[in-house]
Amino acid sequence: MDVALNNMGRGLSMFDAEARLIVCNKLYCEIYSLPETLTRPGTPLAAILRYHVKNETGRDDPQELERQRKWIATHVAALALGRSFSHTQSLKNGRIVLVSNQPLAGGGWVDIQEDITERRRAENKIDWLARHDTLTEVANRHQFNEQLEEWCAALPEGHAFALHWIDLDHFKEVNDTLGHPTGDALLKSVANRIRKVLRGTDTVGRLGGDEFAVLQAGAADQSQAIKLVERIQRALAEPHCVLGNQVAMGASIGIALAPKDGCDPEVLMKKADLALYDAKTSGRSTYVFCP
């Protein structure tokens, strides 16, 4: 029995109807860093929980102990109804543990602890890749469009924002003369500089190629949008040191204001695109609001 328990790929603990430990395996002890004194048969769950919480959070005050008492009472009552359930724990050492509870006939229950850290990291990575541009690490077109739709949906509640569509000037010449690796490094530098001049409530995304877009929260009029667009242009105008090259880079920017210029994502994108075209045809390295 000991050999079987201690060679399981998951932690296991079994408690009786009085919430006292019956048996546990080594992986259970390892996951929660339990001392040997808390792994003996008859150990109250309250003692194990108290040790775990203190080890994880440092809390051991009367209010915390009362909270733990109520949690155990709720936990035991749910199991007594024959319910099976699970929850996820994030430990301070970075481990993520999926705990599954199975009631036993006659009272008590079995807990199974599965380390899902790598699985969760892989899931998070996949989710991140689906929503970010892998080169510049800013939002990709999919995530940017989602954010734009959400902001448009909030316009009836009194929100306002500016949509800035940014196109780098003469970027193709950089690729043609210095090579694509330098062009990629320049795109990373541009994305970082834009991100640094934004507030936490704003969003920057790469729409593709050398085109970026920014959603500026709370920009109800042109004056607020101009302040940001001038910060962006100043930041981009400083020479970029990329792969041993000093590259000067300007940007043409088209701007649409919501709700002034529209409340529909597609309409706002079209108007910002038209404004961008006007900026590019009027000499570049400038900005234009949609007509």
Side-chain angles (χ1 to χ4, degrees), residues 214-274:
V214 169
L215 291 173
Q216 178 189 7
D221 55 49
Q222 290 190 2
S223 63
Q224 292 172 297
I226 289 171
K227 291 178 182 178
L228 175 58
V229 81
E230 289 180 342
R231 291 202 307 270
I232 292 173
Q233 289 188 319
R234 284 195 301 268
L236 298 185
E238 290 292 325
H240 300 257
C241 182
V242 288
L243 301 184
N245 301 287
Q246 292 285 331
V247 181
M249 180 55 57
S252 301
I253 305 176
I255 309 167
L257 300 176
K260 174 181 173 292
D261 298 321
C263 299
D264 180 79
E266 187 174 347
V267 169
L268 290 170
M269 290 292 281
K270 285 182 178 179
K271 290 191 174 183
D273 190 23
L274 290 172

Side-chain angles (χ1 to χ4, degrees), residues 110-128:
V110 174
D111 291 336
I112 298 293
Q113 294 80 24
E114 180 182 2
D115 189 333
I116 60 170
T117 307
E118 293 305 319
R119 184 204 307 173
R120 185 60 58 84
R121 286 174 180 168
E123 291 171 349
N124 290 342
K125 182 65 174 178
I126 292 170
D127 181 66
W128 188 92

